Amino acid sequence: MVQIKPCRRANIAETCCASISIKDLKELSEDKSWNPVDFSTKLTYGSIRGSEKLRQTLANLYFVRTPTALPADNVLITAGAIQANFLLLYTLIGPGDHAICHYPTYQRLYSVPESVGAKVSLWKAKANDGWKLDMSQLKTPIKPNTKLIILNCIHSLLKHKTELAKKNLGILEQFIESHRWACDWFKPRAGTTAFRTGDMFVPGSLCFGDGEDFVGYVGIGFVCETEALEKGMAALKEFMEDSYDEVPVVKKK
């Protein structure tokens, strides 16, 4: 059994943006009197595929982009993107198949196809190219048995979250620039190895680099609540000043 200790100060490992409340949802609505909660609804298990009303609403939303009507039966509601990823990959790919996966990305997008017996080619984006995908490099890995080309798009931020991202990125950039003696980054990624401050980071090599790339880097989810980021940077600053010299250095191969 694995015991995970609670994060003592700040969780800046999230790859998603800060969550919103029911109140926030109402503020986003054109009709401020709209109540998103129906207190008369019975708390049953609900529809496994998602409510008919929600699926039909989404079908109507995407219908404007399709030449024919999109049936609600073509829409499946999942509890987050991870569940959707697993369902899609388990359904569409299997032993003997081949997939091409945009990289760096979440490990599951290339590990799940491998786990079911498929071969995966990584379509690598590079930091010095601004993480842009090179279309000319896509032709070579395509094979007769290629079933999927997996792309990972960055989060589509709502307007108010875009402002939060800009503000928080400034805080993160200020920290990096004031610690250039020890830090480097692929904007908006930060590079250090501090785990002893109570902050929660995402190890770059394990979570996004397949254990080989981005060694020595950590991913910092900077579109969290500003207070959480400020606490995290303060804790990291304390570590850099008091304990950084005690960190063992791993030489690059």
Side-chain angles (χ1 to χ4, degrees):
M1 181 179 294
V2 177
Q3 180 181 6
I4 301 177
K5 296 181 179 180
C7 180
R8 299 194 307 274
R9 299 190 188 180
N11 177 5
I12 48 177
E14 294 286 356
T15 56
C16 56
C17 58
S19 302
I20 60 176
S21 65
I22 297 295
K23 181 180 178 181
D24 294 330
L25 283 176
K26 292 187 67 173
E27 290 299 320
L28 291 172
S29 175
E30 294 180 357
D31 181 6
K32 304 303 180 185
S33 64
W34 168 68
N35 188 349
V37 179
D38 183 356
F39 291 101
S40 65
T41 301
K42 299 293 184 180
L43 300 181
T44 64
Y45 280 114
S47 173
I48 299 299
R49 296 177 57 84
S51 73
E52 175 67 25
K53 183 177 181 180
L54 176 58
R55 290 190 291 116
Q56 188 60 62
T57 299
L58 291 174
N60 294 340
L61 176 64
Y62 287 99
F63 170 52
V64 297
R65 302 182 182 181
T66 59
T68 57
L70 179 65
D73 285 343
N74 285 21
V75 178
L76 181 65
I77 307 300
T78 63
I82 294 178
Q83 183 183 6
N85 291 156
F86 273 81
L87 287 174
L88 178 73
L89 295 171
Y90 282 153
T91 301
L92 298 182
I93 202 163
D97 291 332
H98 175 252
I100 299 171
C101 186
H102 173 198
Y103 176 93
T105 187
Y106 300 105
Q107 181 185 355
R108 63 181 178 272
L109 295 182
Y110 51 86
S111 290
V112 172
E114 290 175 337
S115 72
V116 297
K119 298 293 184 181
V120 178
S121 299
L122 299 179
W123 185 14
K124 294 187 176 183
K126 299 178 181 178
N128 55 9
D129 290 333
W131 303 110
K132 296 178 181 178
L133 287 171
D134 186 346
M135 295 299 295
S136 64
Q137 294 182 357
L138 181 60
K139 299 178 181 179
T140 302
I142 294 179
K143 304 176 181 180
N145 62 334
T146 300
K147 295 287 290 293
L148 287 175
I149 298 177
I150 304 168
L151 299 177
N152 178 50
C153 298
I154 60 173
H155 297 287
S156 178
L157 299 176
L158 298 172
K159 183 177 180 180
H160 68 293
K161 294 302 181 185
T162 302
E163 295 303 317
L164 177 65
K166 291 179 180 178
K167 178 181 179 180
N168 287 2
L169 184 58
I171 295 173
L172 181 57
E173 185 168 18
Q174 184 179 13
F175 176 88
I176 295 298
E177 293 302 326
S178 63
H179 292 81
R180 277 292 185 182
W181 53 271
C183 297
D184 194 6
W185 72 334
F186 293 136
K187 191 176 181 178
R189 299 180 186 274
T192 185
T193 53
F195 290 94
R196 295 166 54 188
T197 62
D199 290 353
M200 183 181 292
F201 286 138
V202 177
S205 62
L206 296 180
C207 294
F208 298 100
D210 201 23
E212 298 181 1
D213 298 321
F214 314 117
V215 175
Y217 284 87
V218 295
I220 295 182
F222 65 94
V223 195
C224 52
E225 298 294 346
T226 300
E227 181 182 1
L229 183 63
E230 289 176 334
K231 286 183 178 179
M233 293 298 97
L236 183 54
K237 181 177 183 294
E238 178 184 332
F239 167 80
M240 297 293 288
E241 294 175 350
D242 298 339
S243 305
Y244 179 78
D245 291 338
E246 300 175 11
V247 177
V249 177
V250 178
K251 295 182 179 180
K252 293 184 178 180
K253 296 181 180 180

